[in-house]
Amino acid sequence: MIRKYRIGTPFETEAVVLSIKEETGEIPYLDRNETTGMLVCPLKKEDIVYGLGQNIRGINKRGFVYESNCSDDPLHTEGKRSLYGAHNFFVVDSDEKFGVFLDYPGKAVFDIGFTKTDLLTISTEDENYDLYLIDGASVTQIVKQFRELIGRSYVAPMWAFGYGQSRWSYNDEKEVREVVENFRNNKIGLDAVYLDIDYMERYKDFTVNRETFPDLAGLAKELKEKGVRLVPIIDAGVKIEEGYDVYEEGVAKDYFCKDEDGNNFTVGVWPGKVYLPDFLNKEAREWFGEKYSFLLEQGIEGFWNDMNEPALFYSEKNLDHVFARLDELRKKNLDIHSYFEMMDLVKGISNNEEDYRSFYHNVNGKKIRHDKIHNLYGYNMTRAAGEAFERLMPDKRILMFSRSSYIGMHRYSGIWTGDNQSWWSHLLLNLKMLPSLNMCGFLFIGADIGGFGDNTSQDLLLRWLSLGVFTPLMRNHSALGTRRQEPYCFDDTDAFRRLIGIRYALLPYIYSEYMKAVLRNEMMFLPLAFVYTEDKRVKEIEDQLLVGDSIMIAPVYTQNATGRYVYLPEEMKLIRMHSAGEWEEEILPAGDHYISVELDEIVFFIRKGKLLPLAKEADCVDHMESQLTYLDFADKKAEYELYRDDGFSKDYDKETNWQKIVVEK
Ligand code: GLC
């Protein structure tokens, strides 16, 4: 059951699609403290709290404090409280289970047994929000109701499930061609090459640098013939430059965010000074969305939206103030106070809280200060694109994923988890975030495989790919200046070929399970505790996941480890895949096992009575054959519901997309 409570006069976020009658009585499960405005819920010792989507730390969120405050912060270390998204949904797994969705677009703080170990508190900047309380017999039932409440998740085209190669610094079309050739020559699967800001003319949205990419349309066509799509990045800020059409139109139509005095608000990002499109303004959204047609018309079929928290390197106003103070400080003998003042001043230039409080949106003629709706900015940038694709190409799926997000955006796009690092701990973080994201409606998801910042190593990348073969978005991306991490840059190209080949073999399964999760409001990545509800042991397992209905995964995430301990909640069949067409099988009893895993193989476990389809290896999705084989763990019988469609159109609900597979022994 879903109950809704309205506190104050909330901003209409459009996160929710069902209309739920407001209740007036007492809010169940949570007490509202009249003095502080805080929502409070006691926690029993054994209670577990799941959810909060994109965030740091574990699957069980208990023991730390988290903020919903979309942040551009590339150091996802344990002490951080927020990442790029704001996903205010969690479930308390207690004697009575309930879910809470706080539909509030400003900064919210979730203290989950951090300040007081037996208390969960929620604080908001002001008391204007809708609160949804959902109860059900199991966590999965609660999640399902929540997902119905927020509407069907975005569906990516099938080619976007193939392997994607990205790097910040593919500087010209020659380099892009070389990447593709290296993949094809080494017989490593590839479906997409991502274009980072380097393709633009001086980092201006909806422009192409004609010197380095003289014929983008030609390049897109040529590569598509090889089964490879180009996926360009779009940033939130629009460069201030006379003669640049997007800038001039935006100014003329008054579509940019304003400062207190009504002037366009100036901030700095990649191109230098930019204005921020007012994505909260419906007309501005329509206008910006139409701009994507510039690239769609050149044969582009996918995009990634970036810097949309929005990331602010600086604001013009604050920078003046900082420079003035630095001038004063340079005359001083910098001591303990002035030295740290100087350091803090410089560090505080980017993504400054004060800056977020000093610009405004025009929402249906009403002036709204940015911090009040901060968490909706990236959502509405991506919605601008999603709504435009619906208008411009109603029958075709366009790949779209965003860095910043709020619940509601999941209907328009997927997300990638931003600027992680080439650290083993971030491989584990990637794994732990997957179920929480699914709970909040984000299904087309993936991390920068190999790590974005810092230098990756061959073993880290191989281990990361061993998780990445299961995530809908499987993209290797790295930052400018870091070690190159295309698979052919390492000693053991063969190992990369095998692992990526296995992705293509698993693709019918990954796609089926993804589509089931979309169409049935279910999760594709589940903590073991969501399914094996009677098994007390699994409550603490955070490094193994169920992927869809048939399999469990237990990736290796430790440097130099040649295997790991795995707990099997029931008898399962281990599959050791050496390549797309070669594997070993072994039935293992329930309990603890040490499982060896070489760097060049993928190990997973089939649940009893289940099976999964396997395709033949292909160099890209377009070249995949439709014939399948099946891997099963049938005692007597194993069953599977296979979902298949053309991968492009939007006819998801057709009966004929479903096929029942039964294996009997
Ligand atoms: C941001 C993005 C990253 C991209 C870079 C340059 O840091 O998160 O993926 O490579 O900007 O555009």
Side-chain angles (χ1 to χ4, degrees), residues 1-5 18-29 89-91 96-101 131-149:
M1 185 166 85
I2 307 181
R3 275 170 284 195
K4 173 181 176 179
Y5 297 85
L18 294 185
S19 101
I20 308 279
K21 199 171 89 19
E22 276 164 44
E23 310 261 343
T24 47
E26 215 160 278
I27 304 172
Y29 305 114
F89 172 65
F90 62 87
V91 175
E96 277 183 300
K97 302 178 199 328
F98 61 95
V100 177
F101 175 46
L131 194 65
Y132 295 85
L133 275 300
I134 309 175
D135 38 36
S138 65
V139 182
T140 46
Q141 262 187 34
I142 293 169
V143 171
K144 198 175 168 97
Q145 291 177 68
F146 175 61
R147 296 269 304 282
E148 280 160 11
L149 177 70

Side-chain angles (χ1 to χ4, degrees), residues 445-458:
I445 49 177
D448 286 351
I449 293 175
F452 172 75
D454 233 324
N455 298 313
T456 204
S457 56
Q458 172 166 284

Side-chain angles (χ1 to χ4, degrees), residues 78-91:
E78 268 189 52
K80 295 292 164 62
R81 295 182 172 192
S82 67
L83 297 175
Y84 308 89
H87 307 148
N88 302 347
F89 172 65
F90 62 87
V91 175

Side-chain angles (χ1 to χ4, degrees), residues 399-646:
L399 168 63
M400 172 93 251
F401 56 88
S402 169
R403 193 169 73 174
S404 186
S405 58
Y406 183 82
I407 289 170
M409 198 198 81
H410 70 287
R411 298 192 297 271
Y412 302 96
S413 142
I415 60 172
W416 97 100
T417 51
D419 299 348
N420 59 8
Q421 305 285 324
S422 298
W423 299 342
W424 291 90
S425 59
H426 278 186
L427 162 52
L428 184 58
L429 183 64
N430 178 186
L431 175 90
K432 290 184 181 188
M433 230 187 269
L434 296 168
S436 322
L437 286 171
N438 275 189
M439 287 174 72
C440 297
F442 294 96
L443 296 181
F444 192 77
I445 49 177
D448 286 351
I449 293 175
F452 172 75
D454 233 324
N455 298 313
T456 204
S457 56
Q458 172 166 284
D459 56 345
L460 176 58
L461 181 55
L462 285 168
R463 290 302 193 201
W464 211 319
L465 284 167
S466 305
L467 169 63
V469 295
F470 297 102
T471 59
L473 171 66
M474 186 192 187
R475 183 181 77 140
N476 170 339
H477 179 50
S478 56
L480 173 75
T482 59
R483 179 182 188 179
R484 292 202 80 99
Q485 62 188 45
E486 292 80 5
Y488 48 80
C489 297
F490 297 90
D491 303 336
D492 194 355
T493 313
D494 189 50
F496 289 97
R497 177 183 311 122
R498 287 162 189 268
L499 297 193
I500 294 170
I502 294 170
R503 162 58 164 218
Y504 286 88
L506 291 172
L507 215 139
Y509 179 71
I510 307 289
Y511 187 68
S512 265
E513 294 306 309
Y514 167 84
M515 288 305 294
K516 281 179 203 168
V518 170
L519 299 172
R520 298 171 176 173
N521 291 313
E522 287 171 355
M523 295 168 64
M524 179 174 168
F525 297 100
L526 297 116
L528 271 53
F530 283 23
V531 174
Y532 298 97
T533 49
E534 298 304 310
D535 186 337
K536 292 246 178 333
R537 267 287 301 280
V538 299
K539 285 191 183 299
E540 290 182 17
I541 295 185
E542 299 216 348
D543 59 356
Q544 301 177 202
L545 291 178
L546 294 162
V547 181
D549 192 42
S550 303
I551 65 172
M552 180 181 83
I553 61 167
V556 175
Y557 52 87
T558 313
Q559 186 176 344
N560 293 319
T562 52
R564 54 164 289 180
Y565 282 95
V566 179
Y567 175 70
L568 267 50
E570 60 173 330
E571 188 184 37
M572 288 187 179
K573 185 190 264 186
L574 176 149
I575 304 289
R576 186 179 293 280
M577 293 201 79
H578 301 297
S579 70
E582 290 165 87
W583 62 85
E584 292 167 60
E585 307 184 0
E586 186 186 352
I587 294 173
L588 296 175
D592 294 295
H593 298 269
Y594 183 82
I595 307 288
S596 69
V597 188
E598 297 291 337
L599 286 168
D600 63 352
E601 58 187 17
I602 305 265
V603 169
F604 60 87
F605 304 85
I606 310 186
R607 296 169 65 197
K608 208 169 190 169
K610 311 281 181 184
L611 63 83
L612 75 154
L614 266 195
K616 279 212 186 120
E617 191 173 346
D619 62 356
C620 65
V621 170
D622 285 353
H623 298 162
M624 282 179 69
E625 291 174 18
S626 62
Q627 199 198 344
L628 302 175
T629 51
Y630 299 98
L631 274 178
D632 69 80
F633 182 21
D635 219 3
K636 292 191 187 70
K637 191 173 172 189
E639 291 187 342
Y640 189 66
E641 280 182 285
L642 179 70
Y643 177 93
R644 292 220 259 194
D645 59 21
D646 63 11

Side-chain angles (χ1 to χ4, degrees), residues 54-340:
Q54 186 181 27
N55 229 311
I56 21 90
R57 300 223 176 190
I59 292 179
N60 180 356
K61 288 288 175 231
R62 194 155 174 181
F64 197 57
V65 57
Y66 310 87
E67 289 177 6
S68 279
N69 185 34
C70 298
S71 326
D72 164 36
D73 180 344
L75 281 180
H76 312 163
T77 45
E78 268 189 52
K80 295 292 164 62
R81 295 182 172 192
S82 67
L83 297 175
Y84 308 89
H87 307 148
N88 302 347
F89 172 65
F90 62 87
V91 175
V92 179
D93 185 2
S94 184
D95 304 335
E96 277 183 300
K97 302 178 199 328
F98 61 95
V100 177
F101 175 46
L102 173 80
D103 191 6
Y104 173 71
K107 177 164 146 186
V109 181
F110 301 87
D111 184 330
I112 306 187
F114 176 70
T115 304
K116 284 205 169 299
T117 51
D118 57 356
L119 273 193
L120 182 159
T121 63
I122 307 173
S123 347
T124 50
E125 300 270 287
D126 55 63
E127 286 187 89
N128 297 300
Y129 52 79
D130 282 331
L131 194 65
Y132 295 85
L133 275 300
I134 309 175
D135 38 36
S138 65
V139 182
T140 46
Q141 262 187 34
I142 293 169
V143 171
K144 198 175 168 97
Q145 291 177 68
F146 175 61
R147 296 269 304 282
E148 280 160 11
L149 177 70
I150 59 172
R152 185 181 278 184
S153 300
Y154 160 83
V155 179
M158 175 107 87
W159 61 264
F161 288 76
Y163 176 82
Q165 186 61 53
S166 184
R167 177 169 175 86
W168 174 9
S169 72
Y170 291 151
N171 284 318
D172 53 33
E173 60 167 50
K174 184 168 155 277
E175 206 173 335
V176 171
R177 276 200 191 92
E178 273 166 18
V179 171
V180 175
E181 272 160 32
N182 274 317
F183 272 88
R184 290 291 178 251
N185 293 343
N186 284 295
K187 300 206 168 356
I188 305 174
L190 178 72
D191 264 271
V193 174
Y194 287 78
L195 298 180
D196 208 316
I197 46 175
D198 323 282
Y199 80 91
M200 297 180 192
E201 188 208 322
R202 283 174 295 121
Y203 312 120
K204 292 183 312 202
D205 276 342
F206 312 114
T207 67
V208 175
N209 185 330
R210 292 291 169 203
E211 277 167 30
T212 46
F213 289 87
D215 179 14
L216 187 72
L219 184 69
K221 186 162 176 282
E222 172 194 322
L223 296 184
K224 192 171 168 184
E225 278 158 16
K226 298 185 169 142
V228 177
R229 264 85 170 177
L230 287 174
V231 185
I233 195 168
I234 301 292
D235 285 336
V238 169
K239 184 173 174 30
I240 300 175
E241 186 182 280
E242 297 306 323
Y244 166 38
D245 56 347
V246 184
Y247 159 78
E248 290 193 340
E249 274 174 43
V251 169
K253 296 183 177 192
D254 227 3
Y255 286 160
F256 294 120
C257 293
K258 300 277 184 268
D259 67 12
E260 176 67 55
D261 307 321
N263 303 313
N264 290 325
F265 185 66
T266 308
V267 296
V269 201
W270 306 120
K273 289 180 185 170
V274 302
Y275 287 156
L276 296 169
D278 186 356
F279 297 120
L280 276 295
N281 172 342
K282 189 168 179 294
E283 286 163 25
R285 211 158 53 226
E286 270 176 29
W287 163 75
F288 194 85
E290 293 291 321
K291 296 287 164 211
Y292 285 78
S293 56
F294 168 75
L295 289 155
L296 291 171
E297 281 160 11
Q298 300 186 60
I300 297 299
E301 299 173 54
F303 301 89
W304 43 313
N305 277 351
D306 193 22
M307 307 304 271
N308 51 2
E309 294 69 33
L312 311 182
F313 290 177
Y314 59 85
S315 76
E316 198 174 41
K317 237 186 216 155
N318 185 36
L319 207 57
D320 285 347
H321 156 75
V322 171
F323 279 131
R325 183 66 189 138
L326 287 178
D327 272 344
E328 288 168 19
L329 286 172
R330 85 196 289 173
K331 293 169 206 138
K332 293 201 170 182
N333 171 1
L334 294 177
D335 61 8
I336 180 170
H337 304 292
S338 45
Y339 169 74
F340 285 107

